[in-house]
Amino acid sequence: FVASTALAQAPSAPGKKIQINAASTEALSIIGTQYFIAGTLAKTCVATLGKPELYTKEVQNQWIKNNQKFMDALTIYQGALFESIEAKFGKEKLEIEKVRVRQITINQGTAMVDQFMARGEKSILCVKVDQGLTSGYFDITPKFPLYPEAMALVQATMP
């Protein structure tokens, strides 16, 4: 998954049976895509903004910190989902599904970033991106349109 290195340290939900369902799988995609968007916008604008290459990693780390409960929920659910797939279909199908999930995140996130960047002059848009990344605009908060879906995954994965 796109955020796999950041997610390796997330807690598990000991003793809790995680229910695999379409709504939770959609929330997994929502959270992963939002993380991807923040990182991709930073990467797209790093040179235009005259920022050091480390800027992208700093943005990603800050986004994870600001959205830790969502990233933890993503990790817990993704682990349960992948365990379920492997148990039902085997390791080979699991690896195919991992690639598919990652590609969905990349495709959705890239389309959104491309759509945003097509709205005007890159230098102006990148300033807005930097302001948004710095202010937490891209974080998952009650103002985020898909907050209820993301929050439902947090609640579904809480011990």
Side-chain angles (χ1 to χ4, degrees):
F1 188 74
V2 175
S4 61
T5 54
L7 304 177
Q9 302 165 7
S12 61
K16 177 159 185 157
K17 174 77 172 142
I18 305 299
Q19 298 297 315
I20 306 300
N21 57 56
S24 292
T25 302
E26 179 182 2
L28 170 90
S29 180
I30 290 165
I31 296 165
T33 300
Q34 195 65 9
Y35 170 77
F36 179 86
I37 289 168
T40 302
L41 284 169
K43 185 177 181 179
T44 300
C45 290
V46 68
T48 302
L49 293 168
K51 302 274 188 181
E53 284 299 315
L54 188 57
Y55 172 75
T56 301
K57 192 67 177 162
E58 289 171 347
V59 163
Q60 291 171 318
N61 289 338
Q62 187 61 49
W63 194 93
I64 290 168
K65 182 178 175 186
N66 293 353
N67 297 278
Q68 191 65 57
K69 68 182 174 186
F70 298 104
M71 294 302 278
D72 290 348
L74 178 148
T75 302
I76 292 165
Y77 183 78
Q78 181 175 266
L81 175 65
F82 288 168
E83 283 177 22
S84 173
I85 291 168
E86 184 173 16
K88 288 180 185 174
F89 304 106
K91 185 93 171 148
E92 187 176 320
K93 294 278 188 188
L94 170 62
E95 294 308 314
I96 292 168
E97 184 62 12
K98 285 181 178 180
V99 170
R100 190 184 77 77
V101 167
R102 185 173 196 277
Q103 200 56 53
I104 288 169
T105 300
I106 291 169
N107 291 347
Q108 289 175 338
T110 299
M112 293 173 126
V113 168
D114 289 349
Q115 182 181 12
F116 176 77
M117 295 307 292
R119 293 173 48 194
E121 186 179 324
K122 186 174 182 180
S123 61
I124 294 169
L125 292 173
C126 284
V127 169
K128 289 181 181 183
V129 163
D130 187 48
Q131 291 168 345
L133 292 168
T134 304
S135 71
Y137 176 81
F138 295 99
D139 291 347
I140 300 173
T141 68
K143 293 180 180 180
F144 180 64
L146 300 170
Y147 179 79
E149 290 84 348
M151 197 60 210
L153 187 63
V154 170
Q155 293 167 346
T157 58
M158 287 174 52

